[in-house]
Amino acid sequence: MTANRLAESLLALSQQEELADLPKDYLLSESEDEGDNDGERKHQKLLEAISSLDGKNRRKLAERSEASLKVSEFNVSSEGSGEKLVLADLLEPVKTSSSLATVKKQLSRVKSKKTVELPLNKEEIERIHREVAFNKTAQVLSKWDPVVLKNRQAEQLVFPLEKEEPAIAPIEHVLSGWKARTPLEQEIFNLLHKNKQPVTDPLLTPVEKASLRAMSLEEAKMRRAELQRARALQSYYEAKARREKKIKSKKYHKVVKKGKAKKALKEFEQLRKVNPAAALEELEKIEKARMMERMSLKHQNSGKWAKSKAIMAKYDLEARQAMQEQLSKNKELTQKLQVASESEEEEGGTEDVEELLVPDVVNEVQMNADGPNPWMLRSCTSDTKEAATQEDPEQLPELEAHGVSESEGEERPVAEEEILLREFEERRSLRKRSELSQDAEPAGSQETKDSGSQEVLSELRVLSQKLKENHQSRKQKASSEGTIPQVQREEPAPEEEEPLLLQRPERVQTLEELEELGKEECFQNKELPRPVLEGQQSERTPNNRPDAPKEKKKKEQMIDLQNLLTTQSPSVKSLAVPTIEELLSLVSSQEDEEERNHRQMIKEAFAGDDVIRDFLKEKREAVEASKPKDVDLTLPGWGEWGGVGLKPSAKKRRRFLIKAPEGPPRKDKNLPNVIINEKRNIHAAAHQVRVLPYPFTHHWQFERTIQTPIGSTWNTQRAFQKLTTPKVVTKPGHIINPIKAEDVGYRSSSRSDLSVIQRNPKRITTRHKKQLKKCSVD
Amino acid sequence: MKVKMLSRNPDNYVRETKLDLQRVPRNYDPALHPFEVPREYIRALNATKLERVFAKPFLASLDGHRDGVNCLAKHPEKLATVLSGACDGEVRIWNLTQRNCIRTIQAHEGFVRGICTRFCGTSFFTVGDDKTVKQWKMDGPGYGDEEEPLHTILGKTFLLGSCASDRNIVLYDMRQATPLKKVILDMRTNTICWNPMEAFIFTAANEDYNLYTFDMRALDTPVMVHMDHVSAVLDVDYSPTGKEFVSASFDKSIRIFPVDKSRSREVYHTKRMQHVICVKWTSDSKYIMCGSDEMNIRLWKANASEKLGVLTSREKAAKDYNQKLKEKFQHYPHIKRIARHRHLPKSIYSQIQEQRIMKEARRRKEVNRIKHSKPGSVPLVSEKKKHVVAVVK
């Protein structure tokens, strides 16, 4: 339909065009005819034309020059009528005949129809298209404006703008498109084929694939993690073992061994509780070890080493100890283990322990308490340490043995203990005496101590007995529960077992006294070892453990405070107090001397310089130089005699001297310590900006930017970094892609509009054109 | 008794690892650091001098072509790959890191007029004087295969660019199949290049020794006229950052212009480099390549004094600081003089002098004409508008 209508309209249009064009043709033909006919009329016409040219009356006269032979509808001329030929004029003659009604109707219908406007020629249409397209494109492009503006004004641009993800192609993809071509490659592939190595899917062999299928990824990961962990643990363990193996200290190894033995014992006890059968097996093992020991002479001081030690033992304490140790070990190993522990028998063991425990504590406390002299204190404690090192290895096994021992071992350790203790006492007292004599302190009490050392020991024994009696009933209950708690309780004991027995002035007999001792000690002693306190606590309150720690804490705090106050004061007083004034005076005098020396040195070094005078001189010179100079125009010998030794007369000089005008006062006239050079320095000018640079509108803006420093010398690190951020940052090796439409969030939506226009370009008419123009203006 | 103790937080003076720098406590009291401006000025001066000392932009020359290099193209995805077409129809593919030719194709008879790569980098097109367009695979032929183009289009002109040779620049929109607008300049435009970061800005390299940067929405006045060359400008290419572009000229030099400046910031030339026909800025914006008449492709640093390779953080900080100092004191005559100093071959130098005189004479004449004619009758035309003859819709 539309096509039909279009065609119709086009037809009508073409007709109209013809109508419009034809008159011209007619005129042309007419003029040709005229040329052939008479010149007169021609002349007249020319005259008329000329007359019409200058005047305003340009209207052509309607004249029908000649009747043509054939009058056609096309030759109708409207020339001269001054108005267009109207349809009504044509219809008038038709009116009379009714036979032409149909034609009339048609004509009227034509009349009612509106005429279609002229289509534009092709060039114009194309131009319009171009303009439209340009406007559209410009509009579309202006969508980039904000992005571009933002980028232009950005403080810093880091290229590439969008973070690119590194695309890693799996090796299969890379290799899938690759084929073997050269003979060498083919040969290699053949080899791979033979060995069932993967070729096309180059990652996995069939075996590997199967294994991969067997285990899921997570499982594999877990497994791997486990393996890794195990490996790591193993390596740690190995490293640790190596480290421990390297340790040369024998004592350390002994302790370790002991620890191990203890642990084994503990485990055994536990096992006995939990799993009696397994415990029996263990027991058998121990029994076997015992048998082996009995069979062998390993620990019976019969070896080479033991013999050498035996020779040494007379003179060397350590050798003696070592021998004893070995013997004790032998004893320990050859002891028969008893599965069920009897309460009665154990009491004996505990008794010993207690005996050992309590006196130590007491002694130590006493020793610490009695030392008013800090120097002595230190020596004492060091002694205790030494003793500890000597004693510990010996005593520990004993204790362990006691823990599980029978009554037969009861007497021996005690005796041994006594012997050792005695030895130590003797040594200690000797040392102490010498120290005391050096310190020149009244040590009467100490002397009495020495004499009464044996007494003290016995007293101690009594005391421990008492203690034991106090706790006996409780102990029995505890022991009936099993050996484990006992062992645990005894653990701290070996550490406490400091054989400092004799250093104390009075006896301590009851628990209360012991407590008080502890307190005293807190106030007096700085180096109170915590284990002692713990030992006390454990001794005193084995039952009510929960409240023990609190007390401990309190005590510790007190100790600290007291330490600070008391320990420092004596030493300071002894040294500093009497000499402080002297010292001060000494120091001050020394300082004075130094200063004097320093000054002297400086004076000597700059002996010739007098800076102030030099400066004044310089200033005077500068002032002189800056003064405008008089111009002397006298010519010697002019108007008078001249020659060597003759000077122009004063009058003449005065006459020809042009005095310079007084300049403005100097700026540094009232500043005695400053010279201000008022001349423009040419050398400085090379480093000064003469014209205000472009972006600045006022000189103070520029000056301000110059005066704010940006270096790290004047700015904090953060500020420095901020001030020196470069405007554009590019990374080497990164491709910077051009900005994309997607970045702006713009898609070519306007395209549809354009395409509509393109599809039927004929529709654009002058009206459209006008609209477009408006648009473009807007 | 009052106990006073010194307590220090180890965080303030202990470094975390051995590799850290020692912490240096600083006192920023300005009284302790006097003479800020003179000190910074001296630093800036030194930085400028050092920049000139280290300005060694020439990196390598790739030789192998047997005729002048007529066109260059970058690989869109590989930084190290460059394609070049010569006047004898030969196309070569180069590896920049190894600085050698990895492939040679006799693509056309006569000139290779143009070369461009596909966006994905799998193939490239060449246009030759033998009226053919050929498409080639980027990777070389396999073992035993012969070098053959994928497609050949015969007897068609394949319009890739949008600037024409009859003194005008025509803009097309590919989607609409109609040209948009046309600018006629004084002389022929050789190349145009679009700013990769600003979609509506392009720069045209013209025969009248100038380059014109246009905003395509307003073609009647160029945004900027870039003038420094002393002969026809043959090629132009933007830096991928869109802040600068490089131009190749018939006067045997290449110049780097900031987009918003009318004068170049850098000129590169060597004794052996002849008329430079084509120039490209690599996609990481660090290097410039130019192909010239005497059959060589040259590789330059885009920033003449830049240090190649990895920088430590301290080096980077120092570089940034120096850059900022140079910027801050750039207006000082001493610094300006040093920073601007370039050595030029005698021919270019004398031509510059000559052209300056000519230009001055022209200007003087114009001024005189304005002075001696009726006021308003001789319009004062700005430099920007002078070169645009007409805009055709």
Side-chain angles (χ1 to χ4, degrees), chain A residues 193-229:
Chain A
H193 272 299
K194 270 180 197 168
N195 296 333
K196 286 193 176 178
Q197 287 295 318
V199 178
T200 49
D201 184 14
L203 267 190
L204 303 169
T205 56
V207 182
E208 282 170 338
K209 258 184 194 167
S211 67
L212 201 74
R213 253 177 235 139
M215 208 188 296
S216 74
L217 183 67
E218 278 181 21
E219 267 178 59
K221 269 183 184 170
M222 270 171 56
R223 178 117 184 268
R224 208 181 65 174
E226 261 173 40
L227 279 173
Q228 268 178 346
R229 202 162 146 265

Coordinates of all heavy atoms in Angstrom, one line a residue, chain A residues 193-229:
Chain A
H193 N 55.9 -42.4 22.2 CA 54.8 -43.3 22.0 C 55.1 -44.7 22.5 O 54.3 -45.4 23.2 CB 54.5 -43.4 20.5 CG 53.5 -42.3 20.1 ND1 52.2 -42.2 20.7 CD2 53.6 -41.3 19.3 CE1 51.6 -41.2 20.2 NE2 52.4 -40.6 19.3
K194 N 56.4 -45.1 22.2 CA 56.8 -46.4 22.6 C 56.7 -46.6 24.1 O 56.4 -47.6 24.6 CB 58.2 -46.7 22.1 CG 58.3 -47.3 20.7 CD 59.7 -47.5 20.3 CE 59.8 -47.7 18.8 NZ 61.2 -47.6 18.4
N195 N 57.1 -45.5 24.8 CA 57.2 -45.6 26.3 C 55.8 -45.2 26.9 O 55.8 -44.9 28.1 CB 58.3 -44.7 26.8 CG 59.6 -45.2 26.3 OD1 59.8 -46.4 26.1 ND2 60.6 -44.3 26.2
K196 N 54.8 -45.1 26.1 CA 53.5 -44.7 26.6 C 53.5 -43.4 27.3 O 52.8 -43.2 28.3 CB 52.9 -45.8 27.5 CG 52.5 -47.1 26.7 CD 51.7 -48.0 27.6 CE 51.1 -49.1 26.8 NZ 50.4 -50.1 27.6
Q197 N 54.4 -42.6 26.9 CA 54.4 -41.2 27.4 C 53.3 -40.4 26.7 O 53.0 -40.7 25.6 CB 55.7 -40.6 27.2 CG 56.8 -41.1 28.1 CD 56.6 -40.8 29.5 OE1 56.2 -39.7 29.9 NE2 56.8 -41.8 30.4
P198 N 52.7 -39.5 27.4 CA 51.6 -38.8 26.8 C 52.1 -37.8 25.7 O 53.2 -37.3 25.8 CB 51.0 -37.9 28.0 CG 52.2 -37.9 28.9 CD 52.9 -39.1 28.8
V199 N 51.3 -37.8 24.6 CA 51.7 -36.9 23.5 C 50.7 -35.8 23.3 O 51.0 -34.6 23.3 CB 51.9 -37.8 22.3 CG1 52.3 -36.9 21.1 CG2 53.0 -38.8 22.5
T200 N 49.5 -36.3 23.0 CA 48.5 -35.3 22.7 C 48.0 -34.6 23.9 O 47.9 -33.3 24.0 CB 47.3 -36.0 22.0 OG1 46.9 -37.1 22.9 CG2 47.6 -36.4 20.6
D201 N 47.8 -35.4 25.0 CA 47.4 -34.7 26.2 C 48.6 -34.8 27.1 O 48.8 -35.8 27.8 CB 46.2 -35.5 26.9 CG 45.8 -34.8 28.1 OD1 46.2 -33.6 28.4 OD2 45.0 -35.4 28.9
P202 N 49.4 -33.9 27.1 CA 50.8 -34.1 27.5 C 51.1 -34.1 29.0 O 52.2 -34.2 29.4 CB 51.6 -32.9 26.8 CG 50.5 -31.9 26.7 CD 49.2 -32.5 26.7
L203 N 50.0 -34.1 29.7 CA 50.3 -34.0 31.2 C 50.6 -35.3 31.9 O 51.5 -35.5 32.6 CB 49.2 -33.2 31.9 CG 49.4 -31.7 32.0 CD1 48.3 -31.2 32.9 CD2 50.8 -31.4 32.5
L204 N 49.7 -36.3 31.6 CA 49.7 -37.4 32.5 C 49.8 -38.7 31.7 O 49.3 -38.9 30.6 CB 48.4 -37.5 33.3 CG 48.0 -36.3 34.1 CD1 46.6 -36.3 34.6 CD2 49.0 -36.2 35.3
T205 N 50.6 -39.6 32.3 CA 50.6 -41.0 31.8 C 49.4 -41.7 32.3 O 48.7 -41.3 33.2 CB 51.9 -41.7 32.3 OG1 51.8 -41.7 33.7 CG2 53.1 -41.1 31.8
P206 N 49.0 -42.9 31.6 CA 47.9 -43.7 32.1 C 47.9 -44.0 33.6 O 46.9 -43.9 34.3 CB 47.9 -44.9 31.3 CG 48.7 -44.6 30.1 CD 49.6 -43.4 30.4
V207 N 49.1 -44.3 34.0 CA 49.3 -44.7 35.4 C 48.9 -43.5 36.3 O 48.2 -43.6 37.3 CB 50.7 -45.2 35.7 CG1 50.9 -45.6 37.1 CG2 51.1 -46.3 34.7
E208 N 49.5 -42.4 35.9 CA 49.2 -41.2 36.7 C 47.8 -40.8 36.7 O 47.2 -40.4 37.7 CB 50.0 -40.0 36.1 CG 51.5 -40.0 36.4 CD 52.3 -39.0 35.6 OE1 51.8 -38.6 34.6 OE2 53.4 -38.7 36.1
K209 N 47.1 -41.0 35.5 CA 45.7 -40.7 35.5 C 44.9 -41.6 36.4 O 44.0 -41.1 37.2 CB 45.2 -41.0 34.1 CG 45.0 -39.7 33.3 CD 44.5 -40.0 31.9 CE 44.6 -38.8 31.0 NZ 44.4 -39.1 29.6
A210 N 45.3 -42.9 36.4 CA 44.6 -43.8 37.3 C 44.7 -43.4 38.8 O 43.8 -43.4 39.5 CB 45.1 -45.2 37.1
S211 N 45.9 -43.1 39.1 CA 46.2 -42.7 40.5 C 45.4 -41.4 40.8 O 44.9 -41.2 41.9 CB 47.7 -42.4 40.7 OG 48.1 -41.3 39.9
L212 N 45.3 -40.5 39.8 CA 44.6 -39.3 40.0 C 43.1 -39.6 40.2 O 42.5 -38.9 41.1 CB 44.7 -38.4 38.8 CG 44.5 -36.9 39.1 CD1 45.6 -36.3 39.8 CD2 44.3 -36.2 37.8
R213 N 42.6 -40.5 39.5 CA 41.2 -40.9 39.7 C 41.0 -41.5 41.0 O 39.9 -41.3 41.6 CB 40.8 -41.9 38.6 CG 39.9 -41.2 37.5 CD 39.5 -42.2 36.4 NE 39.9 -41.6 35.1 CZ 40.5 -42.3 34.2 NH1 40.8 -43.6 34.4 NH2 40.7 -41.8 33.0
A214 N 42.0 -42.3 41.5 CA 41.8 -43.0 42.7 C 41.6 -42.0 43.9 O 41.0 -42.3 44.9 CB 43.0 -43.9 43.0
M215 N 42.2 -40.9 43.8 CA 42.2 -40.0 44.9 C 41.6 -38.7 44.5 O 42.0 -38.1 43.5 CB 43.6 -39.8 45.4 CG 43.7 -39.5 46.9 SD 45.4 -39.1 47.3 CE 46.3 -40.6 47.0
S216 N 40.7 -38.2 45.3 CA 40.2 -36.9 44.9 C 41.2 -35.8 45.3 O 42.2 -36.1 46.0 CB 38.9 -36.7 45.7 OG 39.1 -36.4 47.0
L217 N 40.9 -34.7 44.8 CA 41.9 -33.6 45.0 C 42.0 -33.2 46.5 O 43.1 -33.1 47.0 CB 41.4 -32.4 44.2 CG 42.3 -31.2 44.3 CD1 43.6 -31.5 43.5 CD2 41.7 -29.9 43.7
E218 N 40.9 -33.2 47.1 CA 41.0 -32.8 48.6 C 41.7 -33.8 49.4 O 42.6 -33.5 50.2 CB 39.6 -32.7 49.1 CG 39.0 -31.3 48.8 CD 37.6 -31.2 49.4 OE1 37.3 -31.9 50.3 OE2 36.8 -30.3 48.8
E219 N 41.4 -35.1 49.1 CA 42.1 -36.1 49.8 C 43.6 -36.0 49.6 O 44.4 -36.1 50.5 CB 41.7 -37.5 49.3 CG 40.5 -38.1 50.0 CD 40.1 -39.4 49.4 OE1 41.0 -40.3 49.3 OE2 39.0 -39.6 49.0
A220 N 43.9 -35.8 48.3 CA 45.4 -35.7 48.0 C 46.0 -34.6 48.7 O 47.1 -34.7 49.3 CB 45.5 -35.5 46.5
K221 N 45.3 -33.5 48.8 CA 45.8 -32.3 49.4 C 46.0 -32.6 50.9 O 47.1 -32.3 51.5 CB 44.8 -31.1 49.3 CG 45.1 -30.3 48.1 CD 44.1 -29.1 48.1 CE 44.3 -28.3 46.8 NZ 43.3 -27.3 46.6
M222 N 45.0 -33.3 51.5 CA 45.1 -33.6 52.9 C 46.3 -34.5 53.2 O 47.1 -34.3 54.1 CB 43.8 -34.2 53.4 CG 42.8 -33.2 53.9 SD 41.2 -33.9 54.3 CE 41.6 -35.2 55.4
R223 N 46.4 -35.5 52.3 CA 47.4 -36.4 52.5 C 48.8 -35.7 52.4 O 49.7 -36.0 53.2 CB 47.3 -37.5 51.4 CG 48.3 -38.5 51.4 CD 47.7 -39.9 51.6 NE 48.8 -40.9 51.7 CZ 49.3 -41.5 50.6 NH1 48.7 -41.4 49.5 NH2 50.3 -42.3 50.8
R224 N 48.9 -34.9 51.4 CA 50.1 -34.2 51.3 C 50.4 -33.3 52.5 O 51.6 -33.3 52.9 CB 50.0 -33.3 50.0 CG 51.4 -33.1 49.4 CD 51.3 -32.2 48.2 NE 50.9 -30.8 48.6 CZ 50.8 -29.8 47.7 NH1 51.1 -30.0 46.5 NH2 50.4 -28.6 48.1
A225 N 49.4 -32.6 53.0 CA 49.6 -31.8 54.1 C 50.1 -32.6 55.3 O 51.0 -32.2 56.0 CB 48.3 -31.1 54.5
E226 N 49.5 -33.8 55.5 CA 49.9 -34.7 56.6 C 51.3 -35.1 56.4 O 52.1 -35.0 57.4 CB 49.0 -36.0 56.5 CG 47.9 -35.9 57.5 CD 47.0 -37.1 57.3 OE1 47.5 -38.2 57.1 OE2 45.8 -37.0 57.4
L227 N 51.6 -35.5 55.2 CA 53.0 -35.9 55.0 C 54.0 -34.8 55.3 O 55.0 -35.0 55.9 CB 53.2 -36.4 53.5 CG 52.7 -37.8 53.2 CD1 52.8 -38.0 51.7 CD2 53.6 -38.8 53.9
Q228 N 53.6 -33.6 54.8 CA 54.5 -32.5 55.0 C 54.7 -32.3 56.5 O 55.8 -32.0 57.0 CB 53.8 -31.2 54.4 CG 54.2 -31.0 53.0 CD 53.5 -29.8 52.4 OE1 52.6 -29.3 53.0 NE2 54.0 -29.3 51.3
R229 N 53.6 -32.4 57.2 CA 53.6 -32.1 58.7 C 54.6 -33.1 59.3 O 55.4 -32.8 60.1 CB 52.2 -32.2 59.3 CG 52.2 -31.4 60.6 CD 50.7 -31.1 60.9 NE 50.6 -31.2 62.4 CZ 50.2 -32.3 63.1 NH1 49.9 -33.3 62.4 NH2 50.2 -32.2 64.4

